[in-house]
Amino acid sequence: MNLTAEILVEALAACASGPADGPAEIAALVRETQPAFAATLFSAWQAEGAPLNPALRYEVEATAARVEYYRSVASRLMSAVGSGLSTIKGLEVAALYPDGFVRYMNDLDFIAPAQSDLWRAVSLLMRDGWDLDTATFSHMDGDLHVVVSFRRQPDDLYELPYGIEIATYYTLGDQGGIPPIVRLPERWRVPAVKNMLMLLHERYEQPFRARDLVDASLLHESLRGAEADTLHAAIVTLGLTVEYSELVRLVAGTGLAPLAGLPGGQWTAARERARRLARGASFFARPVAGTGRHLQRRVMMGKTSRAESVAWAGVQRRLPVTAAVRAGLLAYGLPLDGPKPDVSAAVLCSRGTMTWADTPVGRFLLTIGDEVSEAAVDELSAPALTTRGGTG
């Protein structure tokens, strides 16, 4: 496929509504509705010889510099940690774009299936001056899993902070009918397959954007040999047929290289919708935990009604954090000051109403909502408190 600025505008039109007659209206539309796609479109204009004003040139240059910075960070980190660390989306997808086209990256995502590799990477970033933002903890497939988030302010105070996330799993699913992905079989770790699966999972968080359409088309076009069959089998196995069918339809309305449909067409997607309803309903066999999983996801997506907000407050009062984590909810960790605990992996601990996680890099006060006690912060920061009574 010869990716052009005209095709990018078609992808924008497929995902955003509004006037797009001429460069001025197109620039206004992309900035208002799909800001992460703006630099890509502007760089395409530039690559095709169109003159850019200083504001557009700066946006392209700033985005390109951000990607190069992330590339240098990823190279150093993966070299230091070794094969136990890999990237998803981001840099791997950006490498498929034509020369001169830039792809905006808000943050950098890594997968470290073993906690030992995760904590090694976390320690390296902390020594390099990255700010530890937060960590989340949850049980999946019987094990405790972690994602650690970092932030770093660029030299330009008006630029958004750089971000890095390192997780021991690939995706959480939707806390309901779609299960999480903790491990991928080797045949699914091919960049084009892996990254397409991650792109489809993001549909639970937000509608497909113009960048998603371009990413999907480039990823599908990069499949080689039997990889297309591998991808389609993975989509069916993971229950992503509804999202993939929507993506096929959206891409087909543009000049992008089309995506191959799944065997069975709409019937495959219809069966998956029914399966999701059944699986999602099964969580409510444990009413408090099942309700908690559903409501926490609604809160994360900013879609709670007033009644749901009241119910969520009740769940937080009735469901202890340790029980919530074992039931599949996320526990958010506030990093605390104090000495590093003497542990080699994350350990959940509790005493009274307090729950915390001791990790090789520090202690985190845990909550399933957004409130923590100042008294708990002070007490858990005390060096005398040990991990006795903790559970992994």
Side-chain angles (χ1 to χ4, degrees):
M1 174 183 61
N2 181 26
L3 192 61
T4 66
E6 182 180 357
I7 292 175
L8 296 183
V9 173
E10 291 176 1
L12 174 65
C15 299
S17 59
D21 185 15
E25 289 186 351
I26 294 171
L29 178 64
V30 72
R31 282 175 164 157
E32 180 181 352
T33 64
Q34 311 260 319
F37 195 58
T40 301
L41 178 56
F42 301 158
S43 68
W45 284 342
Q46 186 177 53
E48 293 175 2
L52 301 184
N53 65 29
L56 270 60
R57 282 201 307 273
Y58 174 80
E59 196 161 347
V60 171
E61 291 166 2
T63 299
R66 188 179 185 91
V67 173
E68 284 305 310
Y69 177 73
Y70 278 141
R71 188 172 284 117
S72 68
V73 172
S75 176
R76 181 183 183 282
L77 197 58
M78 293 174 71
S79 175
V81 176
S83 59
L85 193 68
S86 62
T87 59
I88 53 173
K89 290 194 68 185
L91 294 172
E92 293 181 346
V93 180
L96 300 176
Y97 278 62
D99 290 341
F101 287 46
V102 300
R103 179 187 183 277
Y104 179 77
M105 288 178 55
N106 184 50
D107 57 13
L108 190 57
D109 295 314
F110 292 97
I111 302 298
Q115 276 203 39
S116 57
D117 292 321
L118 178 141
W119 297 121
R120 186 179 178 193
V122 167
S123 296
L124 287 168
L125 289 170
M126 292 174 71
R127 287 202 297 270
D128 281 351
W130 284 79
D131 297 322
L132 182 58
D133 186 37
T134 187
T136 57
F137 302 81
S138 185
H139 266 275
M140 301 179 205
D141 290 354
D143 294 320
L144 182 64
H145 286 274
V146 188
V147 55
V148 182
S149 301
F150 286 92
R151 291 292 178 267
R152 190 173 202 168
Q153 182 61 49
D155 293 335
D156 186 342
L157 297 179
Y158 298 99
E159 289 289 331
L160 291 175
Y162 297 116
I164 292 178
E165 287 195 347
I166 310 176
T168 57
Y169 55 87
Y170 282 88
T171 178
L172 284 169
D174 71 344
Q175 302 275 80
I178 308 302
I181 298 178
V182 175
R183 300 282 185 268
L184 287 176
E186 187 67 35
R187 65 186 182 280
W188 293 358
R189 296 179 200 169
V190 176
V193 175
K194 170 187 66 177
N195 291 316
M196 180 72 89
L197 296 177
M198 296 304 102
L199 187 157
L200 292 170
H201 264 270
E202 290 184 357
R203 179 62 181 87
Y204 310 145
E205 300 175 6
Q206 60 190 344
F208 285 125
R209 302 157 296 177
R211 189 181 70 175
D212 298 325
L213 272 58
V214 177
D215 288 355
S217 179
L218 293 173
L219 285 167
H220 201 280
E221 195 175 39
S222 71
L223 293 167
R224 296 292 179 265
E227 290 173 1
D229 292 337
T230 299
L231 171 64
H232 294 163
I235 289 169
V236 173
T237 300
L238 296 174
L240 298 172
T241 58
V242 176
E243 289 70 30
Y244 185 75
S245 296
E246 179 185 1
L247 196 56
V248 168
R249 177 179 56 79
L250 288 170
V251 170
T254 71
L256 293 164
L259 311 182
L262 294 172
Q266 291 303 313
W267 284 108
T268 303
R271 285 194 299 270
E272 178 54 33
R273 289 190 180 93
R275 191 198 65 82
R276 288 183 187 181
L277 289 172
R279 188 174 190 277
S282 71
F283 286 114
F284 291 92
R286 299 171 61 190
V288 176
T291 300
R293 289 171 68 104
H294 169 73
L295 292 176
Q296 188 180 60
R297 182 65 176 177
R298 296 280 290 177
V299 170
M300 291 166 61
M301 298 175 68
K303 294 183 177 180
T304 50
S305 65
R306 179 175 297 182
E308 287 174 325
S309 297
V310 172
W312 176 233
V315 167
Q316 293 178 70
R317 288 193 299 269
R318 294 184 56 192
L319 190 61
V321 174
T322 49
V325 172
R326 292 190 180 92
L329 276 76
L330 290 178
Y332 306 106
L334 173 70
L336 302 174
D337 295 329
K340 295 180 182 178
D342 185 18
V343 296
S344 59
V347 180
L348 290 188
C349 311
S350 62
R351 189 176 69 188
T353 60
M354 296 186 305
T355 302
W356 68 94
D358 278 345
T359 78
V361 302
R363 175 169 291 160
F364 296 83
L365 174 60
L366 301 184
T367 177
I368 60 171
D370 56 6
E371 295 183 1
V372 295
S373 162
E374 191 69 32
V377 171
D378 294 339
E379 184 173 350
L380 290 175
S381 298
L385 189 63
T386 69
T387 60
R388 286 194 301 272
T391 57

